[in-house]
Each structure stands twice: as C-alpha cells, then as structure tokens.
Amino acid sequence: MPALLLAACQLPVKPVATQDDASPPAAVAPAAEAGPAEPTPRADAVARGAPPALAAPEPPPPPDPIDTGAELFDHLAENFQSPVCIKGEANRAWRKRYAGHPASFARHLEEVLPLMAYVATEVDRRGLPAEFALIPIVESWYRPAAIGPGGPAGMWQMIASTARNHGIRIQSGYDGRLSPVASTDAALDYLVDLSARFDGDWRATAMAYNAGEYRILRAFRSNGHRNASGERRLPQGLSRITYDYVAKLRALACLIAKPERHDLELPRDARFVPLARLPLPPGTSSLDQAALKLLVDARELRRLNPAYRGGRLPAGAPREVLVPANPAMLLAARDLPAAPPAGDAPARSHRVRSGDTLSGIARKYGVGLRQLYRLNDMDARSVLQVGQEVQVDP
C-alpha cells in the first residue's frame, strides 16, 4: 500500500503570553544526560537459567490523523511561538481586518481545513514553527489554483523562477506550483533552509520568504544588527509589504490561539476527511481515470490537484497527488498493483565549474535544493569549490 503522510502528534498546550514583538526566542532546555549503560548479560548467567533479555518493544503506531477543526486549531495553538498575541498597532489592525466579519472568517477556515491540516502536519514533520502553516492563508487563502498578479501561482504563490530553483517542474500541461504536494514540499524545504540561515528566527525567515533572503541580509548589514520585527519595522529599509507579512502571520496566530478575545467562534466541531499524498495508479492517463481506480470523486481530485491542465497526465510530469483518505480509497489503493520499477540508472553527480550555484545545479537536474543539501552534507551557507563533485541522486 502506498505510504500516506497524514497527521502529526498532539503536544501539550503552551501558555499564550502577551508582549511586544521584540522578545528574544525562548531558550531550549538542555537534553538530560544519559545514564550508565545496562550491563550485557553474561554467558554463564544464561547457562544457569537466567531469563533471556527482552526484545526491543515495538514502535508505537502512527498517530491518528487530524480530522476535526478542534484538533487542528489546538495543534496549531500548541506549536505557535511564544508570545502569540502581542501588543502593537500593526498587529491590532490586522486582527481587526481578518476578524472584522467573524462568520465569514470562520466559514473560510472551515472550507480549507483539510489542506490546512495537511500543511500543518508537514510543517510539524520538519520541526518548523506552526506560524508557517498560515502562510498559504496570507498568500492565497489556501487556493491551489490561485494565480496572482505578476505571475505567482499556487497556494504558496511562487514565481516560476523561484519554483524551478527549488525543484518544481513546470512543463507543457503541468505546473507544479499548482500542486499542493510539490509546492508544499518546495516551500517548506526553502523555509527550512532560510531558518538555518537566519538562526531559527521565524520572523526573519518569513521576511526572507516574502522579500528574498539577500534583501534581508543586506538590511541586516546596513542596520548593524539582526533584529526582525514586523511591528517595529526592523530591520529598517524594507517595504511595508514585508513588515505586514509578519504582522499578518502574528495576527492570524493570535486569532486562532485566542478566538474568544475577538468574539470569534472557530469551526471546532467541523469534521473532514484527511488528505494523503499518493502515487497515481499505474496505467492512468487522466485524473478521472485515477479517481475511478481510487474510488474518489473525480471533481474533488481535480480540484485538489490543478497542476495537471485539463486533468490530463502529460509524459514526464510527477505523478504524486493529494487524495481524500476515506476508507474506500485506502482499500482501493492497497489493492492496486505497484508502479513498475524506475530501472537501475546510475546516480548522477555534477563537477562544479566556475559560476555554478547549488540552485542552478538543482534546476539543471530537476531536483530540489534540499536533496542536494542532504546528499552532500551542505546547507544554505555552503560554498562551492571549482572541481568539487556534487552528488545529485541518492
């Protein structure tokens, strides 16, 4: 049965503090020191009839997927960075803007619960702050087929060059920016890299996602510090759009974590079918054919996966989609034949030449930057050397 990536573990609720935007990140408690190792049973003890050592316990089963509004909102609130609700005019203005029509805000949230739960799970799996699960609200209100002015597309609103630089395929009949699977992988991998570059400061990371990392780094150098705040407009010299980007994320987090402060009633009682990422069945040439084999509604499958123009599956396009993980689909997917093996093509590598960049190498070979980082023990700060061999494939 194809692997399904569903929901993340639930964590204990953290207190929600209220202060300004300039507070330093909370310190991380040091890990407890390991105690002395257990002695290995001696052979003569076993010979005297001592009981054999117990086998290692079975790993716990995967957690149940998030499938209610209450589970999703509680999960997000538990994983927002403290303080969630802060003082300040910009934050107050954006809270008022989003919650100005409480019924409409709650209805919009209910409509996007399945996609939001999928992204929240992926955010948690990468160890990123839960605020990043709110970026698709700011960008597109979680509309996979959204096309913005100037060319950005998808629920993460990526421009084509940025998408290609992060391994998203764009070809005739297929635009991976409109794939919730491909675009979420690329966006979150990019946020992981940015977070490493900005020392885990989620505010600076969000600014860099909006304005570009080099613009934020130049502003830091110009200001002589690395303080990032949407409320206090730091670092100075950025556009209002970039400061508002952080303010919007903080406002949304406060509304979700403390709805009672704003006379909001979130759709906590709403139930929904979780989404799973799944390889398309072998031998299908359209989403409608895949829907028949997976026993899901064809219109819903097309709505969730608009990357395939007209619902057709062009040659060379990725064949991984989001599917409602209802019981009938799970049974149907289990009984489908496995996809044919990809073959024994040798792993590719690239010898660095003058002017090469990791993003350019990723684009040339159609892979994600994160894959290059992982295979070559690199990160966003790594510097390439002429003649260096970069592994491209696992």
Side-chain angles (χ1 to χ4, degrees):
M1 172 178 174
L4 305 180
L5 300 181
L6 298 175
C9 298
Q10 304 297 301
L11 303 174
V13 177
K14 298 184 292 188
V16 178
T18 301
Q19 59 187 71
D20 64 23
D21 193 26
S23 60
V28 178
E33 295 184 3
E38 290 292 330
T40 304
R42 293 175 49 190
D44 58 346
V46 174
R48 292 195 301 269
L54 295 176
E58 289 291 326
D64 289 335
I66 297 172
D67 60 3
T68 69
E71 289 177 340
L72 175 58
F73 299 134
D74 289 346
H75 173 79
L76 291 171
E78 291 157 7
N79 290 281
F80 288 142
Q81 300 295 292
S82 181
V84 180
C85 296
I86 65 168
K87 299 177 181 178
E89 183 57 37
N91 189 271
R92 186 162 48 249
W94 281 109
R95 291 200 308 266
K96 184 176 180 181
R97 180 86 62 91
Y98 280 116
H101 300 281
S104 176
F105 181 74
R107 185 175 65 254
H108 284 316
L109 283 179
E110 185 169 358
E111 290 170 353
V112 302
L113 286 177
L115 277 169
M116 199 171 173
Y118 170 75
V119 170
T121 299
E122 292 295 301
V123 165
D124 188 70
R125 191 167 66 85
R126 289 166 172 81
L128 290 168
E131 283 84 354
F132 293 160
L134 307 178
I135 288 178
I137 293 181
V138 173
E139 293 286 1
S140 69
W141 259 109
Y142 269 98
R143 291 180 294 135
I147 303 295
M155 66 187 196
W156 294 91
Q157 288 291 281
M158 290 186 176
I159 61 173
S161 59
T162 299
R164 289 190 174 101
N165 284 344
H166 291 87
I168 291 181
R169 191 173 185 86
I170 301 174
Q171 65 173 71
S172 177
Y174 177 84
D175 187 339
R177 296 176 297 168
L178 308 182
S179 163
V181 172
S183 65
T184 297
D185 280 350
L188 295 185
D189 286 350
Y190 183 35
L191 286 165
V192 167
D193 297 333
L194 290 174
S195 182
R197 174 160 291 197
F198 292 100
D199 303 317
D201 185 337
W202 79 264
R203 295 161 296 186
T205 299
M207 288 180 174
Y209 183 85
N210 172 255
E213 57 194 284
Y214 297 110
R215 187 171 298 171
I216 307 304
L217 290 170
R218 285 195 299 269
F220 280 167
R221 286 195 296 270
S222 176
N223 282 253
H225 61 72
R226 293 175 67 91
N227 296 332
S229 167
E231 192 62 46
R232 298 197 298 153
R233 297 181 179 269
L234 295 175
Q236 295 178 1
L238 301 176
S239 73
R240 187 183 71 178
I241 293 173
T242 300
Y243 299 127
D244 282 349
Y245 203 77
V246 177
K248 291 175 184 179
L249 294 175
R250 302 208 78 148
L252 286 166
C254 184
L255 293 176
I256 289 173
K258 292 292 182 180
E260 67 281 358
R261 292 186 181 180
H262 309 91
D263 295 323
L264 282 175
E265 290 189 16
L266 301 181
R268 295 181 60 85
D269 294 334
R271 301 193 66 87
F272 56 89
V273 177
L275 300 176
R277 55 193 298 171
L278 190 71
L280 284 167
T284 53
S285 60
S286 71
L287 292 180
D288 287 358
Q289 289 181 353
L292 286 173
K293 294 185 177 184
L294 294 170
L295 302 180
V296 297
D297 181 76
R299 288 175 299 178
E300 178 69 359
L301 192 62
R302 289 197 301 270
R303 185 189 69 81
L304 286 171
N305 301 280
Y308 303 94
R309 190 166 300 146
R312 293 181 292 274
L313 310 180
R319 295 176 62 89
E320 193 173 25
V321 293
L322 271 191
V323 182
N326 57 56
M329 187 284 293
L330 295 174
L331 288 173
R334 185 186 64 185
D335 295 336
L336 288 173
D344 298 322
R348 296 172 294 175
S349 64
H350 176 89
R351 188 171 296 279
V352 175
R353 294 174 292 185
S354 178
D356 277 349
T357 63
L358 278 174
S359 60
I361 295 170
R363 183 170 63 252
K364 176 179 179 180
Y365 292 97
V367 300
L369 267 174
R370 191 67 181 165
Q371 177 168 310
L372 296 185
Y373 291 156
R374 185 180 69 253
L375 294 176
N376 296 279
D377 195 23
M378 295 178 176
D379 59 29
R381 296 189 177 94
S382 298
V383 177
L384 295 177
Q385 303 293 332
V386 173
Q388 177 181 354
E389 199 77 16
V390 175
Q391 187 176 351
V392 175
D393 297 320

